Structure formats: C-alpha cells, structure tokens
Amino acid sequence: MTTHHRRALRRSTIIAAAALTAATAGTLAAPGAGAAAQAGAPKLKVVAVSDKVTLERYEEEGGVYLDLGTYVTVDGGPLDLRVTRKSYNDPIVASQVIHSGSRTVTKSLPSGLVKDFSGLPDFLKISITNQSGAKVLDTTQSFCPNNRTGRVRPDAPADSKYPDTCAYNPFALGGVWGVDKGWAAVTTSGYDGKSVDLPVGEYTAKLSVAKKYRDLFGMPDTTRTIKVTVRKGSEGGEGEGHGITRGDHAHKGSLKTLKPASKRPVGKGAVPVNTPKPDLRALPAWGITVTDGEEGGEGAAPGKEYLAFGATVWNGGPSPLVVDGFRTPGKDKMDAYQYFYDANGKQVGYNKTGTMEWDPREGHQHWHFSDFASYRLLGADKKEIVRSGKEAFCLANTDAIDHTVKNANWHPYNTDLESACGEYNSLSVREALEVGNGDTYEQFRPGQSFDISNLANGTYYIQVIANPDNRLAEQSKANNVTYRKVVLGGTPGHRTVTVPKYGRVDAP
C-alpha cells in the first residue's frame, strides 16, 4: 500500500537512439565465447561501440541518463525469452526458448529472477569513479532485449521478428523478449530509464554482466571500461499525454496498412457469425495521484483538487479491432464502421458502430471514436459519484499487454497519435487496436480526471469500462469492467490518495 501526496502527473519522454552503424557492425560481429551449450543456444557478449561517451545532465530530470553505448550481441541462435503470469495474484515466470532447426526446447529461468515485464533486472553492474579515482557511484541496469535492436552483420535477418519494446504497463500479462541471431540490443533504457546524479565533469565507468546472468547464458566474464564526459544539457520537452508508454518505432502489422477501406460501405451491414472477433478487456486504473489540475490546462479552477489516473483497454484477440470512419464533406463527424476478418485475415464483413468526431483542442487535433471506454468514480458501495468527461478516443497501440496470446501482433503499426487518427482534411480514417496490445489514456485534465474537492475522505473505486454502450462486437463482454480501490485522505488543499495493492501488483 502506497500513499501519494499532491504532485504533477508527468509523462516520460521516449527518445529513440540511433541504430548501430555499418562501421560499428564490423566490430560487433564476433560472437562471445560462452560456456558449452546445446545446438541453437545463443551466444551473448557485451560490446561497447566506443571507449568514450559524452552524456548530458538534465537538472529537471534529476541528472544523467547512463546510455554508455553498450550492446548485447547475439550469435549461434536467437535469444528468445517468454514471460507470463496467470493472474495478478500469481508470480511472473520466465522461460527461454532454444531453437535448433525445426525443434524447440523450452527451459525455465530461475524462480523470482524476473520481477516485471520491463526486462531482466540488475543485468549490468556499473561502477563510476571521478578523475581522482574516488568511487562516486555503484549502480545496476536492467536489460530489455527488445530495446533499440539492430543488425551487426550483413547476413543477419533483414528484420527482427521480436517486439520493439518491453512492457512498462504494471498490469501487463505476457511478454516476448528477443534478439535475432546476428543482431544486437542496447543494454540501457536510455532516456526512458532512471537518471543518476553525476555533476558535470570527467569520469571512468566500468561495467560487467552480473554473475547470475553470465552463468545462465554462458557469457564471458569481462569488464568494459568507458571514459565518460558529463556536460550540461538543454532541457527537453515532455510527451503529449495520450499514452503513458509507447514503442520506440512502428513496424508493419497484420493490417498491412492504416488506410481505411477505399469507399464507404453500403448499408448498415451486420456482425458476421462464427467469425473471430476482438476481445476488449479493461485493466485496473494506475498512475493514480491527486493534482490541482494545472497541468491539464483549460478548465482548472483555483482551489480545486482532482484525482488523476491512467486507464488501459487492451485487445485479447483473436482478431484485431478495426474501425473505419467515413466523412460527409462539410461535416466534422464521420460514420464509423467495425470491420471483421476470418482466421486468414480476409475481410468478411462490417457493421455500423457509431461515429468519429473531430477534436480541435490543442494537444488533440485528430478524430476521436466515440464510446470506446468510460471512467467513473464510485463510492464504497460502488454506486457512481463522478463520471469522467472523457467519452471519445483516438485508438492507438500504446502498450504491449500480452504478446503471448493467440495472434498477438508484435509489430503494431499505429503506436502514436501521428500515425493513428487522421487530420482535419481527412475524408476517411482507420483506427485499430491490435491483438495483444492496449491503449492507455492519462486522465489528468479537469473534466476527465475526477473532481474530489467536495468529496469526503474515505474509500472509493475507480471503475474502467471497455465498450460501455456495447456498440462494438466482441468475443466476450465478461471482462469489460475493472475496479481499483483508492482511499482519499488529507485536508482541503492537501489531499492524499492511498492505493492498495491489486493482487501482487503494487503500482499506484
């Protein structure tokens, strides 16, 4: 159980780093000399692209992001890890899949090794000394095998089959982590990781892989030494606030293209029977905090206090959710149609399912699909007290939730607003939510977050509802509603919120 005082709800800035260059690739191509392993087992090695790096210190972010230019190279066979949990009351378990020709062998990783879905914890050990040789920092870094991958030799597969990012949503259920043979993955989360407090100056960093991972993957026991220059950096901007977590970049997905159907359907259509459909599932609210609404801009009133939160709806499959909007020229509304596909991905039907509306507000300026989700604050008796004003949504695959489910798309196309929701002059728009992926919205703006200024201290529930008006056809509607318990406390102007654990998940 964790108690939070008033604070601004901030959004992480995700900045993709440059891929490995061809010149570097020649250096990285040699595989590591690990312990003897079965055929097809990957050979892992940590390499540095340079023996010196320059890092920038950001005072607003608390210091320096330790992106030291180090990678894990993979040879012999792909590194393939699967991470799952049966429910939020069960532990996370991880296994390694070893590919040997047409045969695969699955090996369980040690119990308790993986703590969440963001990567292998404490993978790297880093020690930093200043110019006089005094140690100023000992730290560790997690390793997400999906992070900023690239080929290290020309005969490697042209594209990685693995996802582009690990999952950072606290309610993720399944992950696929991997690096193809002949590829490499950066060892740090970079600007999406934690910062360390290093003043401007010159340093020496020594890094090595933790023994438990060397033993597990048969990696050589080597230490890399890197000279580090820290200089003052210019303050960067923040994300736009739609999704809390996004992939670094987008790949082609199962829909082939984000273009809508070439022409408006004739008639209302109908939901085809015996056809795979999406399964929209609501996740418990998270990122819960008390704010004064100032970050939300317009609508904030002096003296008001709001309960802000993040909410995710994801698609458990086995079919993608595809909604096309068709506009009548001169109107700021589109007629929305849901499309359906057979097991081979062939379109087999459509059904009229509401509308899309143009949102001209700053920070939006795209087409919103109505009735995708609804958020409500309930009393201790679970009766509605406040309803969020958020009623229309730009669908985007912001979060990997479970890439182990059937037909999960590891490379969704529309991972951000720029690729998902059209422009004002659009005649038609396609919005989609791929299997295994979720769409997260932060409710921090007044009217979307809950006004708690006049609510008494006590127990409440944040209710998240997927497909609230049942306009979308689904496999099941039994998993469309979740509740997250919160306890309001404090005094006017200094309200607090306490968020109990949800099963094993301690993520306020």
Side-chain angles (χ1 to χ4, degrees), residues 321-360:
L321 171 66
V322 180
V323 180
D324 283 3
F326 298 92
R327 184 179 187 178
T328 300
K331 294 186 177 180
D332 287 349
K333 277 192 176 183
M334 293 186 179
D335 293 323
Y337 292 79
Q338 181 181 359
Y339 282 80
F340 304 94
Y341 302 84
D342 64 16
N344 297 318
K346 179 183 177 182
Q347 181 183 308
V348 293
Y350 59 83
N351 188 49
K352 195 172 188 306
T353 186
T355 60
M356 292 185 186
E357 300 179 358
W358 174 255
D359 190 334

Side-chain angles (χ1 to χ4, degrees), residues 440-496:
T440 295
Y441 266 88
E442 291 176 335
Q443 306 306 319
F444 61 90
R445 292 184 171 89
Q448 298 178 1
S449 54
F450 300 124
D451 185 349
I452 60 170
S453 306
N454 298 318
L455 294 185
N457 289 340
T459 298
Y460 297 86
Y461 293 88
I462 297 176
Q463 181 188 49
V464 180
I465 309 174
N467 193 18
D469 292 327
N470 296 318
R471 294 190 178 184
L472 296 167
E474 299 185 61
Q475 289 286 119
S476 171
K477 295 177 181 176
N479 45 28
N480 284 21
V481 182
T482 59
Y483 302 90
R484 189 74 193 273
K485 182 179 179 180
V486 297
V487 181
L488 295 181
T491 58
H494 302 279
R495 302 296 295 276
T496 63

Side-chain angles (χ1 to χ4, degrees), residues 256 361 412 467:
K256 308 300 182 185
R361 294 174 299 164
N467 193 18

Side-chain angles (χ1 to χ4, degrees), residues 105-316:
V105 176
T106 300
K107 179 177 69 174
S108 295
L109 299 189
S111 176
L113 177 71
V114 175
K115 310 298 184 184
D116 56 29
F117 292 88
S118 65
L120 298 170
D122 302 327
F123 182 83
L124 277 186
K125 298 167 58 181
I126 301 174
S127 179
I128 297 180
T129 56
N130 60 20
Q131 284 183 297
S132 64
K135 184 179 293 186
V136 295
L137 179 69
D138 270 326
T139 189
T140 63
Q141 284 186 343
S142 298
F143 171 53
C144 167
N146 299 341
N147 253 6
R148 290 154 48 192
T149 57
R151 287 195 293 179
V152 297
R153 64 178 198 225
D155 63 338
D159 295 301
S160 171
K161 61 178 173 285
Y162 295 102
D164 302 320
T165 184
C166 294
Y168 297 94
N169 191 303
F171 290 100
L173 289 162
V176 176
W177 303 341
V179 184
D180 268 311
K181 176 182 176 181
W183 280 60
V186 72
T187 60
T188 176
S189 298
Y191 291 95
D192 197 31
K194 62 182 180 180
S195 62
V196 296
D197 187 12
L198 281 181
V200 171
E202 302 292 330
Y203 302 90
T204 299
K206 292 183 180 293
L207 59 92
S208 60
V209 176
K211 185 178 185 301
K212 60 183 176 182
Y213 292 111
R214 297 200 310 268
D215 294 343
L216 184 63
F217 298 120
M219 300 179 69
D221 183 6
T222 57
T223 299
R224 301 292 177 187
T225 300
I226 300 170
K227 297 295 183 181
V228 179
T229 299
V230 177
R231 67 185 184 190
K232 184 177 180 180
S234 57
E235 300 300 338
E238 293 185 57
E240 60 187 344
H242 169 84
I244 296 176
T245 306
R246 296 190 182 281
D248 287 338
H249 47 88
H251 279 260
K252 290 185 178 181
S254 63
L255 299 179
K256 308 300 182 185
T257 175
L258 278 180
K259 293 181 180 178
S262 58
K263 58 183 179 180
R264 177 190 295 264
V266 177
K268 180 181 178 181
V271 177
V273 296
N274 300 323
T275 299
K277 297 176 180 66
D279 185 7
L280 299 182
R281 306 179 185 184
L283 295 183
W286 58 288
I288 302 167
T289 187
V290 176
T291 78
D292 58 12
E294 289 183 0
E295 188 171 351
E298 60 183 53
K304 291 284 190 178
E305 292 179 289
Y306 303 89
L307 188 65
F309 60 97
T312 307
V313 172
W314 75 287
N315 182 4

Side-chain angles (χ1 to χ4, degrees), residues 21-170:
T21 64
T24 306
T27 305
L28 304 185
Q38 64 190 87
K43 299 176 182 179
L44 310 185
K45 182 181 179 181
V46 171
V47 299
V49 296
S50 176
D51 60 2
K52 56 185 177 182
V53 298
T54 298
L55 305 177
E56 294 187 332
R57 177 180 175 86
Y58 295 90
E59 298 294 341
E60 188 180 63
E61 302 297 334
V64 177
Y65 295 102
L66 279 181
D67 190 347
L68 298 175
T70 51
Y71 291 78
V72 171
T73 63
V74 177
D75 219 316
L79 174 65
D80 190 326
L81 306 178
R82 308 298 165 108
V83 188
T84 60
R85 60 179 160 199
K86 293 180 180 179
S87 75
Y88 299 124
N89 292 313
D90 292 296
I92 296 173
V93 296
S95 59
Q96 180 180 3
V97 180
I98 298 174
H99 303 268
S100 180
S102 59
R103 181 167 160 268
T104 61
V105 176
T106 300
K107 179 177 69 174
S108 295
L109 299 189
S111 176
L113 177 71
V114 175
K115 310 298 184 184
D116 56 29
F117 292 88
S118 65
L120 298 170
D122 302 327
F123 182 83
L124 277 186
K125 298 167 58 181
I126 301 174
S127 179
I128 297 180
T129 56
N130 60 20
Q131 284 183 297
S132 64
K135 184 179 293 186
V136 295
L137 179 69
D138 270 326
T139 189
T140 63
Q141 284 186 343
S142 298
F143 171 53
C144 167
N146 299 341
N147 253 6
R148 290 154 48 192
T149 57
R151 287 195 293 179
V152 297
R153 64 178 198 225
D155 63 338
D159 295 301
S160 171
K161 61 178 173 285
Y162 295 102
D164 302 320
T165 184
C166 294
Y168 297 94
N169 191 303

